[in-house]
Amino acid sequence: MLVLAVNAGSSSLKLSVLDGDQVVAARELPAPRAVVETRELEDALDGLPAAHAVGHRIVHGGARVAPALVDAALVAELEALVDLAPLHQPKSLAALRAVSGALPGVPAVACFDTAFHATLPPAAATIPVPAGWRERFGLRRYGFHGLSHAWAARRASALLGRPARVVTCHLGAGASLAAVHDGVCVDTTMSFTPLDGLVMATRSGSVDPGLVLWLAERLGDDEVADGLEHRSGLTALAGTGDMRELLARDDPDALLALEVYLHALVAHVAAMAAAMDGLDALVFTGGVGERAPAIRARAAARLRFLGVAVDDERNAAAAGEADVSAPGATARTLVVPSREDAVIARHVRDVLGEAALSPGA
């Protein structure tokens, strides 16, 4: 079965056709502000092999714990979740509509970033607010980047050769961690929305809710929401969310931004390890996690108390999947390229089975 994996990111739309886990063809289109140009999409699809089925990355699946076949009822359900992931959900839905329009009749499966975190125990999932609020609005820690965390944790277990206590670090423009114990997610840094947790490119990460209320009284809800989503994080501290630029600078703003970023990263890694009573492997994935050895090295230096240490030469030379641990380190440090497309393709096969569908049927 050839599967077209559709991944709507913050500024692009990635299209990959997979046979098993192998990418046989791929295209990437610009897609800012949830806009997908119909002609560009049709041209891109014309240049790809005809797929038997389509899999869509959907950031927020609400209470859903497994991938699902796309139909009108599911689309309506996902539209109701837009307010909980305003940076991502509109783009996912825009891509779903555009691809469905270009490939009518081809079965499509929605693959949810939140589903991987459905295994969180009550102590991790429960938000300590009035019960009536939780019941009325379905308030809980949902977690995000689940497709990426699932792949990174699976590869870590394969590289270690055994089930393990793994902290997966998805570090990119958006960033989150997951504590994965023997393949099961038991904690994560993002919560009810993708705004919580680590310091990110434009998002604040965790801030005092009292501060949010104080600002909302003075600036208004819309101004605060826009500021926390689009003008905070590294961008607020140093004028850019591009980690490559920050690492190349030595001015006070850039140095402070990196220190704030690392402070949050290290503190959250320690919290994830505490949720598993220890750490066997620390896994870096995502654009920053895979391609910023300086971030890996500086984080590892502050996590020595957990047995983490990297080999400078291995870390600097890492390209693709790599073990960059220093000799004698009790916790392994791994670099794993993100493969959300492979997880999407597996989910599609799970939902539809391996029946021999004719391309475009």
Side-chain angles (χ1 to χ4, degrees):
M1 177 189 289
L2 292 182
V3 175
L4 171 64
V6 180
N7 189 338
S10 58
S11 61
S12 66
L13 177 64
K14 297 178 182 177
L15 306 170
S16 305
V17 177
L18 294 91
D19 185 357
D21 289 342
Q22 300 301 311
V23 176
V24 297
R27 297 285 188 276
E28 185 169 347
L29 305 176
R33 297 182 301 279
V35 175
V36 180
E37 294 293 338
T38 302
R39 177 58 63 85
E40 287 185 336
L41 175 63
E42 291 175 346
D43 289 345
L45 292 173
D46 285 343
L48 295 173
H52 303 89
V54 180
H56 290 271
R57 177 196 172 203
I58 304 293
V59 168
H60 209 310
R64 288 185 173 270
V65 300
L69 193 65
V70 173
D71 57 20
L74 176 61
V75 172
E77 182 181 323
L78 299 177
E79 287 174 339
L81 298 171
V82 165
D83 287 347
L84 306 187
L87 280 182
H88 304 89
Q89 198 82 343
K91 296 172 183 177
S92 299
L93 291 170
L96 190 156
R97 293 189 190 93
V99 173
S100 296
L103 301 175
V106 178
V109 172
C111 306
F112 308 113
D113 262 328
T114 47
F116 181 68
H117 307 293
T119 54
L120 294 182
T126 303
I127 298 175
V129 295
W133 297 0
R134 297 198 306 268
E135 294 165 4
R136 179 181 177 187
F137 299 113
L139 305 184
R140 58 159 285 156
R141 181 177 296 274
Y142 285 108
F144 300 89
H145 297 129
L147 302 178
S148 180
H149 287 301
W151 179 263
R154 182 183 295 120
R155 290 305 306 151
S157 292
L159 292 168
L160 293 171
R162 59 184 172 86
R165 298 166 298 179
V166 178
V167 173
T168 51
C169 307
H170 176 97
L171 306 181
S176 68
L177 311 180
V180 186
H181 195 177
D182 296 347
V184 177
C185 183
V186 297
D187 206 354
T188 189
T189 54
M190 285 180 169
S191 185
F192 183 63
T193 75
L195 187 57
D196 199 16
L198 302 176
V199 175
M200 296 171 250
T202 67
R203 281 170 270 172
S204 62
S206 299
V207 294
D208 180 356
L211 171 62
V212 177
L213 294 172
W214 188 90
L215 288 170
E217 288 179 355
R218 288 154 178 81
L219 300 175
D221 294 346
D222 291 344
E223 173 72 11
V224 174
D226 180 73
L228 293 176
E229 291 276 6
H230 301 283
R231 295 182 282 115
S232 293
L234 297 175
T235 297
L237 297 172
T240 179
D242 189 326
M243 183 60 72
R244 295 165 297 184
E245 181 179 334
L246 288 175
L247 289 170
R249 289 164 49 181
D250 62 0
D251 57 278
D253 287 346
L255 295 176
L256 175 62
L258 289 171
E259 285 301 304
V260 172
Y261 182 91
L262 286 162
H263 177 83
L265 174 59
V266 169
H268 281 92
V269 169
M272 294 297 103
M276 301 181 291
D277 195 26
L279 180 68
D280 298 314
L282 182 65
V283 185
F284 289 93
T285 191
V288 174
E290 296 167 34
R291 294 188 284 275
I295 295 297
R296 297 194 297 263
R298 293 171 68 172
R302 303 181 190 199
L303 292 166
R304 287 189 295 268
F305 70 97
L306 287 176
V308 176
V310 299
D311 180 274
D312 290 340
E313 292 185 4
R314 289 180 184 173
N315 186 45
E321 198 168 85
D323 185 333
V324 299
S325 311
T330 57
R332 301 267 290 277
T333 302
L334 308 173
V335 180
V336 174
S338 184
R339 286 296 312 278
E340 292 168 321
D341 57 349
V343 179
I344 290 170
R346 291 184 179 193
H347 284 335
V348 171
R349 294 194 297 270
D350 288 343
V351 171
L352 299 178
E354 293 288 356
L357 302 173
S358 60

